[in-house]
Amino acid sequence: MRSYDFWRVDVFAARPLEGNPLAVFPRAEGLSEEEMLAIAREMNLSETTFVLPSSKAGANYRNRIFTPGGEIPFAGHPSLGTAYVAAMDGLVPLHEGTVPVRQEVGIGVLPLELDVRDGRIDRVVMTQGMPRVRRPVRDPARVAQALGIRARDLFPGLHPQVASTGAPSLQVPVRSLEVVQNLSPDPRILGRILARIDRDAGAYVFTFEAEGEADLHARGFFPQHGITEDPATGSAAGACGAYLAANRRLPAKQWFVIEQGIEIHHPSRIEVSVRVERGRPRAVLVAGKVVPVMRGTLTLA
């Protein structure tokens, strides 16, 4: 019998049982790719991660990220949550102040920082991949239909566009909080639209109104990976920052906050910062809190 310890943490959460749940296996040597996928399906979360020795110079570890539908090269909340667990499990040395972490994922080696206060990790910050924003989609009315809304519900003057900081997502701005709250996506139609963008793409629908102390309210849908709705999507939130910068609609502050997951009872707070040069997004940082909720052991034959 083989045994593997795992952690369950909530990412972008103010307290336990909020944010986006993540399962992390901090010492996953010996697991096959098929077993990793089977474990991800068993965990039945949006993502499960497996920490392995790095194959890249300068990285603390390698992070393999699986959804129930398969492995993906990069994601936000699995990056933050895995860095937290790696430090708590002794794979990254901890000290007061800012602790640098370099994490190998499918798109390369990305830097993170742990803010440590009084011996505890208060916040995790990651620098995402190179921001890219494509041209507006040709048929926004079809996007609206796939989301169960009308074309006139889209935000006036802005158009759905694909943006990426390592993982592509279709950014869809809409006119009001009420529109976001009442979305009723058709997974089949939406999945077909997203498949033409990228096999890993999701739809990130947001508005400039919020329920709480936030700048945007968002919902994320990933039908290609069997994720009906994601409670918090760090990669798409970073891409949203790139999209806003490219369209000159960034909130006028160093860090802005996106609330997500409220409709599915997992409220999340995602902090985003964008460095803009000559009117274009050049670097995107995403930050949030990580809360441990349980630890356990998985036994395999």
Side-chain angles (χ1 to χ4, degrees):
M1 304 294 283
R2 294 176 293 149
S3 296
Y4 294 88
D5 293 338
F6 68 89
W7 291 59
R8 279 280 301 269
V9 296
D10 288 336
V11 185
F12 301 119
R15 56 188 62 84
L17 309 182
E18 295 186 355
N20 200 346
L22 175 71
V24 182
F25 286 78
R27 302 175 192 275
E29 296 95 323
L31 288 171
S32 69
E33 188 170 302
E34 291 75 16
E35 287 173 327
M36 291 180 190
L37 178 57
I39 292 168
R41 289 172 174 164
E42 179 76 13
M43 291 294 174
N44 198 30
L45 301 172
S46 57
E47 281 101 358
T48 298
T49 65
F50 302 88
V51 179
L52 300 164
S54 174
S55 61
K56 303 285 186 181
N60 294 93
Y61 55 84
R62 180 186 182 195
N63 182 11
R64 296 190 68 176
I65 306 170
F66 283 77
T67 74
E71 186 172 11
I72 57 177
F74 167 72
H77 99 275
S79 295
L80 272 70
T82 301
Y84 177 95
V85 170
M88 294 295 291
D89 213 70
L91 300 178
V92 175
L94 275 181
H95 56 75
E96 283 295 299
T98 300
V99 176
V101 179
R102 293 184 62 80
Q103 173 180 260
E104 178 191 347
V105 289
I107 64 170
V109 178
L110 298 180
L112 297 98
E113 292 181 348
L114 309 176
D115 292 338
V116 181
R117 300 180 185 178
D118 300 324
R120 59 183 294 272
I121 302 171
D122 184 63
R123 182 172 178 256
V124 186
V125 182
M126 79 167 305
T127 300
Q128 299 194 329
M130 179 61 66
R132 293 181 173 86
V133 181
R134 303 184 198 172
R135 294 179 179 178
V137 299
R138 293 182 178 180
D139 191 359
R142 182 162 174 76
V143 172
Q145 178 190 15
L147 293 168
I149 60 177
R150 302 160 297 183
R152 66 174 179 268
D153 290 325
L154 299 174
F155 194 89
L158 289 176
H159 304 282
Q161 285 178 266
V162 177
S164 173
T165 55
S169 55
L170 179 60
Q171 299 290 321
V172 186
V174 299
R175 101 172 27 248
S176 71
L177 179 62
E178 182 181 8
V179 171
V180 180
Q181 291 170 330
N182 292 320
L183 291 171
S184 182
D186 183 318
R188 183 176 54 87
I189 299 175
L190 184 60
R192 285 204 298 264
I193 292 173
L194 295 171
R196 291 197 290 270
I197 296 169
D198 187 276
R199 70 181 184 88
D200 293 324
Y204 203 61
V205 189
F206 67 90
T207 185
F208 295 97
E209 300 175 3
E211 291 188 27
E213 295 181 1
D215 301 285
L216 275 67
H217 182 98
R219 298 176 71 179
F221 305 100
F222 296 82
Q224 296 190 95
H225 284 279
I227 301 169
T228 304
E229 182 167 355
D230 198 27
T233 317
S235 58
C240 184
Y243 169 89
L244 294 174
N247 285 280
R248 294 173 169 78
R249 288 302 303 261
L250 270 178
K253 52 181 68 174
Q254 182 180 359
W255 289 90
F256 69 92
V257 175
I258 302 176
E259 61 181 25
Q260 188 182 337
I262 293 173
E263 288 79 6
I264 54 174
H265 312 295
H266 273 269
S268 307
R269 289 177 61 82
I270 306 170
E271 302 172 53
V272 183
S273 181
V274 185
R275 189 180 80 235
V276 180
E277 296 177 3
R278 298 180 181 178
R280 295 184 179 182
R282 294 301 185 190
V284 176
L285 283 74
V286 169
K289 292 182 178 295
V290 179
V291 181
V293 291
M294 68 178 78
R295 297 180 68 176
T297 302
L298 174 76
T299 301
L300 299 175

